[in-house]
Amino acid sequence: MTTTMTDAELATLFADPVAQRLLHAATPARFAYTGLDGAPRVIPIGWEWDGSALLMWTVPRSAKVRALQHDARAAVTIDTNEFPPKVLLVRGTATLEEIEGVPQGYLEAGHRNVGDDQYDEWVAGVRSLYDSMVEIRITPTWAKVLDFETRIPSAVAELVREKQAVER
């Protein structure tokens, strides 16, 4: 199995219409990393795509910041609840940067889920809570799109081929 892709391969994948739809969706990402105890963690989190990386923000003292400082490997899934599901799988490396105040990207990511009627109040609350935030930048090293129509998990594709061979 390929664990890394070239920049050109990644650019082609992220230009795919299904990937583009997911990269502009208002759904939380599922962000996976390895905890300091060695056990996996998966959390829902707001995010933005800047054209080359997935960006997320958190409290500087959060467990995920400490864990990513120890092991920068991360994975992200962005998907839909419709049938057939659409899924974007991303693996990559996290870099961390503490930013004073509330980053604009965090506010934009939040606006996708906070209605216009509540947005100003939400922003005021966020600005009063955070003196700084850590930006988590996931730079993709591998990605895959599944649409469960033309692109399915490889194990399912293999099973389909086996069943078709038996039927012949």
Side-chain angles (χ1 to χ4, degrees):
M1 174 169 29
T2 303
T3 56
T4 60
M5 297 169 71
T6 67
D7 289 344
E9 289 171 323
L10 287 166
T12 298
L13 184 125
F14 288 122
D16 177 271
V18 173
Q20 281 295 303
R21 178 175 160 216
L22 292 166
L23 289 169
H24 294 91
T27 58
R30 279 84 166 151
F31 176 52
Y33 62 95
T34 303
L36 289 176
D37 63 356
R41 305 278 191 276
V42 178
I43 60 164
I45 192 168
W47 56 278
E48 280 285 311
W49 172 250
D50 75 354
S52 64
L54 290 163
L55 307 175
M56 301 155 202
W57 300 268
T58 191
V59 179
R61 66 179 84 163
S62 73
K64 63 186 149 300
V65 167
R66 291 189 306 275
L68 291 166
Q69 287 169 333
H70 180 73
D71 183 348
R73 294 175 301 157
V76 177
T77 297
I78 303 166
D79 57 9
T80 64
N81 290 322
E82 66 194 29
F83 185 83
K86 310 293 184 249
V87 182
L88 175 62
L89 304 170
V90 179
R91 293 183 204 146
T93 304
T95 56
L96 308 172
E97 178 184 358
E98 188 164 350
I99 298 171
E100 290 300 314
V102 178
Q104 186 61 33
Y106 180 79
L107 298 175
E108 291 169 8
H111 201 188
R112 292 194 319 218
N113 294 297
V114 177
D116 289 338
D117 58 329
Q118 298 175 323
Y119 183 69
D120 291 341
E121 183 179 340
W122 177 78
V123 168
V126 166
R127 289 191 190 281
S128 69
L129 180 61
Y130 296 106
D131 294 325
S132 67
M133 298 186 85
V134 170
E135 180 179 87
I136 303 168
R137 172 179 289 274
I138 307 297
T139 302
T141 56
W142 177 92
K144 185 172 190 170
V145 171
L146 300 172
D147 61 15
F148 289 88
E149 293 171 305
T150 61
R151 294 168 284 191
I152 59 178
S154 58
V156 175
E158 184 178 318
L159 182 60
V160 168
R161 282 191 301 274
E162 289 171 3
K163 293 291 183 176
Q164 288 173 339
V166 170
E167 292 172 2
R168 289 183 195 151

